[in-house]
């Protein structure tokens, strides 16, 4: 067993002050961090418990949106009446993830910071540039069925595992952060990184930064949206491909479109050109297929995961079809 120290933060300032030291990690629900520690993938010297900080509320914003506290549990967020009614895509995405027991523990902020479920990242006997920079990528040339088809590099082809984050990307959420340099807002599209030559760095957070909330805009695509998750089994499995789709409709014509993919890249994947290709067009399978091909134009498969390219195209068409037909959102 590797020894570590534990401290309970009594304020955000206390947590940030403690996290400035190298080898320190925040812990709240612990549903990913503790697994990684047990597998000897992460070896923090100190855990700073932030679970009792007053960051668990879901509140209205002055702009007409919602602020999701970083420490609000996934289950509480998914079943919040305002989230269900105004952001049904988000509620459905959360409920597609993990198990009921894990959703009762996992926090919104922790969900953003999940590490990849790549086999090679978890297996310390294999090379992994994300776990040990410079050691190589075992997935390239290895078993890569679940890996990236977009935005990968020759250093890493891992994918981001979150369902929640795919919906947040489609909604243009904003992450609120406080750290040693003060408070700042990070547009969701800028929060996660592609691997490039530094795959060990998942986000644009700086040392000591603490995620405090996630802001949702007023527009939630409540009438025409969906979240579709394609996976190997019906529960407790990560996405091979997932799609968050939101449409603003004018009769049968698309006025605005949002489209984000999960399970295909190192971060939730959006492409403004694919969304723009739908604007002003009729909501038909042919138009959806054309937009999917724009989004997937740079997709690249590896030995075991080339099937994901066609799977993603079919999933996009299905999700957009469902979003166009949906009128209002049933309760999950």
């Amino acid at each position: 067993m590797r020894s570590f120290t534990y401290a309970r933060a009594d304020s955000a300032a206390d947590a940030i002050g403690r996290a400035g030291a190298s080898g320190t990690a925040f812990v709240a629900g612990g549903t990913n961090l503790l697994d990684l520690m047990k597998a000897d993938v992460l070896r923090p010297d100190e855990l700073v418990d932030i679970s009792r900080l007053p960051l668990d509320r879901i509140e209205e914003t002055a702009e007409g949106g919602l602020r999701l506290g970083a420490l609000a549990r996934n289950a509480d967020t998914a079943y919040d009446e305002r989230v269900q009614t105004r952001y049904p895509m988000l509620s459905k995405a959360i409920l597609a993830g993990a198990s009921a027991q894990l959703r009762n523990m996992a926090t919104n902020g922790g969900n953003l910071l999940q590490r990849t479920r790549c086999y090679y990242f978890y297996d310390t006997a294999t090379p992994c540039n994300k776990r040990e920079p410079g050691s190589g990528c075992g997935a390239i040339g290895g078993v890569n069925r679940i890996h990236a088809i977009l935005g990968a590099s020759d250093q890493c082809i891992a994918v981001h595992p979150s369902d929640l984050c795919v919906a947040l990307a489609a909604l243009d959420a904003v992450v609120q952060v406080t750290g040693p340099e003060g408070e700042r807002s990070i547009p969701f599209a800028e929060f996660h990184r592609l691997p490039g030559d530094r795959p060990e760095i998942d986000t644009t957070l700086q040392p000591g930064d603490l995620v405090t909330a996630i802001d949702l805009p007023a527009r939630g695509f409540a009438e025409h949206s969906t979240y579709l998750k394609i996976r190997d089994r019906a529960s407790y499995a990560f996405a091979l491909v997932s799609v968050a789709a939101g449409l603003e409709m004018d009769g049968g014509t698309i006025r605005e479109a949002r489209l984000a993919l999960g399970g295909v890249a190192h971060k939730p994947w959006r492409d403004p050109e694919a969304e723009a290709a739908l604007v002003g067009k009729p909501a038909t399978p042919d138009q959806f297929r054309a937009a999917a091909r724009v989004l997937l134009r740079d997709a690249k498969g590896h030995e075991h995961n080339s099937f994901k390219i066609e799977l993603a195209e079919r999933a996009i068409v299905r999700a957009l079809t469902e979003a166009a037909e949906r009128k209002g959102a049933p309760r999950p």
Side-chain angles (χ1 to χ4, degrees), residues 200-264:
E200 74 276 14
I201 303 175
D202 290 340
T203 73
T204 55
L205 292 177
Q206 299 300 313
D209 279 350
L210 174 68
V211 175
T212 57
I214 304 158
D215 286 356
L216 304 179
R219 181 180 299 178
F221 298 90
E223 290 191 344
H224 294 284
S225 66
T226 195
Y227 183 76
L228 173 66
K229 182 175 182 178
I230 309 297
R231 46 188 162 175
D232 286 324
R233 57 184 186 272
S235 66
Y236 201 44
F238 296 101
L240 291 170
V241 174
S242 64
V243 185
L247 299 172
E248 288 285 345
M249 303 291 296
D250 184 3
T253 301
I254 299 168
R255 192 167 62 224
E256 183 176 355
R258 298 283 180 81
L259 194 58
L261 266 61
V264 300

Side-chain angles (χ1 to χ4, degrees), residues 121-136:
F121 178 68
Y122 269 80
D123 185 352
T124 57
T126 64
C128 172
N129 287 321
K130 181 177 283 294
R131 187 186 66 248
E132 186 179 345
S135 64

Side-chain angles (χ1 to χ4, degrees), residues 66 68 77-96 163-164 166-168 170-171 216-228 243-248 322-323 326-332:
L66 281 183
L68 310 177
T77 304
Y79 289 116
D80 184 279
E81 184 176 2
R82 295 161 295 180
V83 175
Q84 290 181 328
T85 303
R86 292 153 55 181
Y87 308 93
M89 173 203 310
L90 181 62
S91 179
K92 189 172 182 180
I94 295 171
L95 294 174
D163 293 288
L164 168 67
V166 182
L168 292 176
L171 289 167
L216 304 179
R219 181 180 299 178
F221 298 90
E223 290 191 344
H224 294 284
S225 66
T226 195
Y227 183 76
L228 173 66
V243 185
L247 299 172
E248 288 285 345
E322 183 177 328
R326 186 179 295 273
K327 197 71 175 176
R331 295 287 178 84

Side-chain angles (χ1 to χ4, degrees), residues 1-6 23-27 30-48 115 121-122 124:
M1 178 177 176
R2 296 183 182 275
S3 61
F4 60 90
T5 58
Y6 168 89
T24 302
F26 293 134
V27 62
T31 56
N32 186 204
L33 175 62
L34 298 184
D35 281 347
L36 291 169
M37 291 176 65
K38 291 175 184 177
D40 207 28
V41 175
L42 294 184
R43 306 166 184 172
D45 297 317
E46 181 177 30
L47 294 184
V48 178
R115 306 303 304 274
F121 178 68
Y122 269 80
T124 57

